[in-house]
Amino acid sequence: MAYDLQEQESIDQMKAWWERWGTPVTAAVCVCCLGFAAWNGWNWWQRNQTAKAAGMYAQLQQAIATNDTKNTSSISTGLASEYGSTIYAPLGALGAANVAASAGNYAEAKAKLNWVIEKSGRAEYETLARVRLAGVLFDEGKLDEALTVLAAAKPAKTQENIVLDRRGDVLAAKGSTKEAREAWEQALALTNPSEPFARVIELKLASLPQEG
């Protein structure tokens, strides 16, 4: 097929452009394709990990419901080691810590809660873990340690009341009535009056001796 002079000139320009830019363009396209494939692969892996973690968490819930302390401990450990990046790992650790604390196994409860605080990377669960860890330390009579744990908390606005409530518990146990009252009053001010938690705080305030 014959080309006129103008068409031939356009073809020559295209050839020249491709000779200069063809390799970089091809490389850029390949990089984009690889990046897209990697992104899809990452999303698939994340979904797969989450699904597996959900299944393990369901087993954990069953172990907790049947008071199977051995499996509760081992399954929550598996969640933390294999699926620590998912939401189920800190949830599992919190649940296992409750079981351990109820059984008087304070060392294990503290280990689970410290994992949430130090390794989960989820601020909302870190605050809850600190409140519960302070409760375990409270039960052990380590009141100053409990206050230190609470002092390091960085709660969201919606969690400030539970930190203050636990602080009031510890201060009351230390005999610091004035400080306990202040903590509970602040906690109550941050709590919706219609919530049962507000009633609990009110009962604690009523239990304090009147200031002379």
Side-chain angles (χ1 to χ4, degrees):
M1 179 178 179
Y3 297 98
D4 61 28
L5 185 60
Q6 186 176 5
E7 288 175 333
Q8 187 62 49
E9 184 178 350
S10 296
I11 292 172
D12 291 341
Q13 289 175 348
M14 289 178 64
K15 286 180 178 179
W17 184 91
W18 185 254
E19 287 176 359
R20 181 176 181 183
W21 300 107
T23 299
V25 168
T26 301
V29 170
C30 288
V31 168
C32 289
C33 290
L34 288 172
F36 182 71
W39 182 76
N40 275 338
W42 171 252
N43 281 341
W44 175 86
W45 184 83
Q46 286 282 73
R47 290 194 298 270
N48 189 50
Q49 290 292 96
T50 300
K52 289 180 178 178
M56 189 176 287
Y57 183 70
Q59 295 175 23
L60 175 64
Q61 292 293 90
Q62 179 63 26
I64 292 173
T66 57
N67 200 31
D68 186 344
T69 55
K70 183 178 179 180
N71 276 330
T72 295
S73 177
S74 62
I75 294 172
S76 66
T77 297
L79 273 171
S81 62
E82 297 177 37
Y83 307 108
S85 64
T86 70
I87 193 173
Y88 297 104
L91 286 174
L94 288 168
N98 280 348
V99 171
S102 297
N105 190 346
Y106 297 136
E108 180 171 351
K110 289 189 289 186
K112 299 290 185 184
L113 294 169
N114 276 317
W115 182 88
V116 178
I117 293 167
E118 298 169 5
K119 303 292 181 63
S120 73
R122 295 179 182 272
E124 67 277 20
Y125 294 125
E126 177 188 339
T127 295
L128 183 56
R130 284 187 178 279
V131 170
R132 293 187 180 180
L133 178 56
V136 174
L137 292 167
F138 179 97
D139 290 339
E140 289 185 310
K142 299 176 180 178
L143 303 181
D144 289 332
E145 286 186 43
L147 289 176
T148 299
V149 167
L150 292 171
K154 298 177 181 178
K157 188 69 176 178
T158 55
Q159 293 179 310
E160 289 179 358
N161 59 343
I162 63 172
V163 175
L164 286 164
D165 173 65
R166 182 69 80 210
R167 177 174 166 78
D169 294 340
V170 179
L171 290 168
K174 284 174 65 69
S176 303
T177 303
K178 181 180 178 180
E179 290 83 354
R181 187 184 305 279
E182 290 173 353
W184 281 333
E185 285 176 346
Q186 291 176 46
L188 186 60
L190 293 170
T191 304
N192 189 322
S194 64
E195 293 181 9
F197 187 45
R199 180 57 180 158
V200 171
I201 300 172
E202 289 172 350
L203 290 172
K204 290 179 180 180
L205 281 168
S207 70
L208 287 174
Q210 296 299 313
E211 297 176 12

